[in-house]
Amino acid sequence: MHNELETVFAKEGYRLTSPRRAVFDVLHGSESPLAIAVIIKACPDVDRVSIYRTLELFTRLGITEIIPFGWKQRYELTSPFKPHHHHLYCTNCGVLIDIHSQKLEQVVAAIAREQDFQPAAHKFEITGLCRHCQANIQ
Amino acid sequence: MHNELETVFAKEGYRLTSPRRAVFDVLHGSESPLAIAVIIKACPDVDRVSIYRTLELFTRLGITEIIPFGWKQRYELTSPFKPHHHHLYCTNCGVLIDIHSQKLEQVVAAIAREQDFQPAAHKFEITGLCRHCQANIQ
DNA sequence: TTCTTATTGCAAATTTGTTGCAATAATATG
DNA sequence: CATATTATTGCAACAAATTTGCAATAAGAA
Ligand SMILES: [Mn+2]
Ligand SMILES: [Mn+2]
Ligand SMILES: [Zn+2]
Ligand SMILES: [Zn+2]
């Protein structure tokens, strides 16, 4: 899995350093997108500043993407490091449900085509109540 | 237009104060979502802290929503104060294109139904290059 | 008009993000 | 493997953004 990463970095002329590996590993080990504060805590040996710089670089290179998430933003690996998908977010219990919707991807393409827009990325999120929280009437 | 707002506030037991009117008017007068910093500058008579508190309240009451916007977040009025829509964002020139897509709304409903999820709101954004910036090869 | 209390503004603290620069370590090369 | 080159790091210091506590104010009820 680091091979892919080495390839991207080598091609672009960047160095694969230990702080960058650490941030990558934390993201790779997580089921869900992570807030910067969480990543900082998860990499106690890496300076705060390097986390910011690393996430900026990762996002610029398309290794990570910024995910809308209630009030804050979070970071998540993108394809090919994590398959492209979106989220349903329960505002009551905080649970995240991954969704892989072919229809949604088609709509993205259709909208871009109609507007003569060249899409690079897209964000999508539904917030509301999960099955469980609907039942336990909130 | 303030009538609608009065109604929401009265029903919820909140007071319609001059800081809250000011923030609402700034958002209502804007074509596009606004960053907090912009709203603060646009309301010179309102204390910074009150802007934060007001936007928190508006969002909690569903009067505004947080819009993903590159690295930062922005605020925009929701329906019925502003018709529901989404954005295409050109990462080169910063232009915003409003889109009203019936297909997208249908997909949102379909996904929620499939997952037995009760949707309250959704975010959507495509980033990429607008027609103009594609031409002036970037 | 008076009363009640939600809301505001201010000051201060905290948290989050940025910058400059010398020390370090990743990679290329012999 | 040893050395040279230079991208990257960590640290310190700064700057900006957001939060908190509380007394003064003003919105809405009576
Ligand atoms: Mn996910
Ligand atoms: Mn808009
Ligand atoms: Zn839930
Ligand atoms: Zn453009």
Side-chain angles (χ1 to χ4, degrees):
Chain A
M1 208 24 121
H2 273 174
N3 290 344
E4 293 269 20
L5 195 58
E6 279 168 21
T7 306
V8 175
F9 272 58
K11 187 167 59 189
E12 305 277 350
Y14 294 101
R15 295 177 181 177
L16 189 43
T17 66
S18 100
R20 287 172 183 168
R21 281 176 202 274
V23 172
F24 181 87
D25 289 343
V26 168
L27 289 170
H28 190 253
S30 169
E31 291 293 318
S32 50
L34 298 177
I36 282 203
V38 171
I39 301 172
I40 290 175
K41 273 183 199 147
C43 302
D45 297 338
V46 180
D47 191 87
R48 214 157 42 87
V49 176
S50 298
I51 307 270
Y52 282 103
R53 295 198 268 228
T54 296
L55 289 171
E56 193 278 330
L57 179 66
F58 279 11
T59 304
R60 187 153 44 78
L61 295 182
I63 294 168
T64 51
E65 65 182 327
I66 302 176
I67 306 282
F69 208 89
W71 297 94
K72 303 286 180 181
Q73 318 248 36
R74 298 195 181 186
Y75 291 84
E76 189 168 55
L77 292 179
T78 60
S79 173
F81 303 106
K82 195 157 264 186
H84 177 73
H85 66 282
H86 299 283
H87 300 110
L88 307 191
Y89 174 53
C90 177
T91 50
N92 185 249
C93 70
V95 79
L96 264 195
I97 302 168
D98 281 4
I99 56 177
H100 302 76
S101 168
Q102 191 50 41
K103 272 187 201 157
L104 176 65
E105 304 304 319
Q106 285 166 1
V107 169
V108 170
I111 290 173
R113 200 178 324 114
E114 282 166 22
Q115 302 289 335
D116 205 351
F117 191 89
Q118 186 177 106
H122 60 274
K123 296 181 199 304
F124 176 77
E125 183 203 47
I126 305 179
T127 56
L129 293 179
C130 71
R131 180 173 359 209
H132 180 264
C133 288
Q134 289 170 54
N136 304 9
I137 313 146
Q138 302 300 339
Chain B
M1 206 27 118
H2 273 177
N3 289 345
E4 293 269 21
L5 195 58
E6 278 167 21
T7 306
V8 176
F9 272 56
K11 187 169 57 189
E12 304 278 349
Y14 294 99
R15 295 177 181 178
L16 189 42
T17 65
S18 100
R20 288 172 182 169
R21 280 175 202 276
V23 171
F24 181 88
D25 289 344
V26 167
L27 289 169
H28 191 252
S30 169
E31 291 292 318
S32 50
L34 298 178
I36 282 203
V38 171
I39 301 172
I40 290 175
K41 273 183 199 147
C43 303
D45 296 338
V46 180
D47 190 85
R48 223 153 31 90
V49 175
S50 298
I51 306 269
Y52 281 103
R53 295 197 268 228
T54 296
L55 288 172
E56 193 278 331
L57 179 66
F58 278 12
T59 304
R60 187 154 43 79
L61 295 182
I63 294 167
T64 51
E65 66 183 326
I66 301 175
I67 306 283
F69 208 89
W71 297 92
K72 304 285 181 182
Q73 317 248 37
R74 298 196 181 185
Y75 291 83
E76 189 167 54
L77 291 179
T78 61
S79 173
F81 303 106
K82 194 157 262 184
H84 177 73
H85 67 283
H86 300 283
H87 299 111
L88 307 190
Y89 174 54
C90 177
T91 50
N92 185 249
C93 70
V95 78
L96 264 196
I97 302 168
D98 282 2
I99 56 176
H100 302 75
S101 169
Q102 191 50 41
K103 272 186 201 159
L104 177 65
E105 305 304 319
Q106 285 166 2
V107 169
V108 169
I111 291 173
R113 198 178 325 113
E114 283 166 23
Q115 302 289 334
D116 204 351
F117 191 89
Q118 186 178 107
H122 60 274
K123 297 182 199 301
F124 177 76
E125 183 203 47
I126 306 180
T127 56
L129 294 178
C130 71
R131 182 173 357 211
H132 181 263
C133 289
Q134 287 169 55
N136 303 9
I137 313 145
Q138 302 299 340

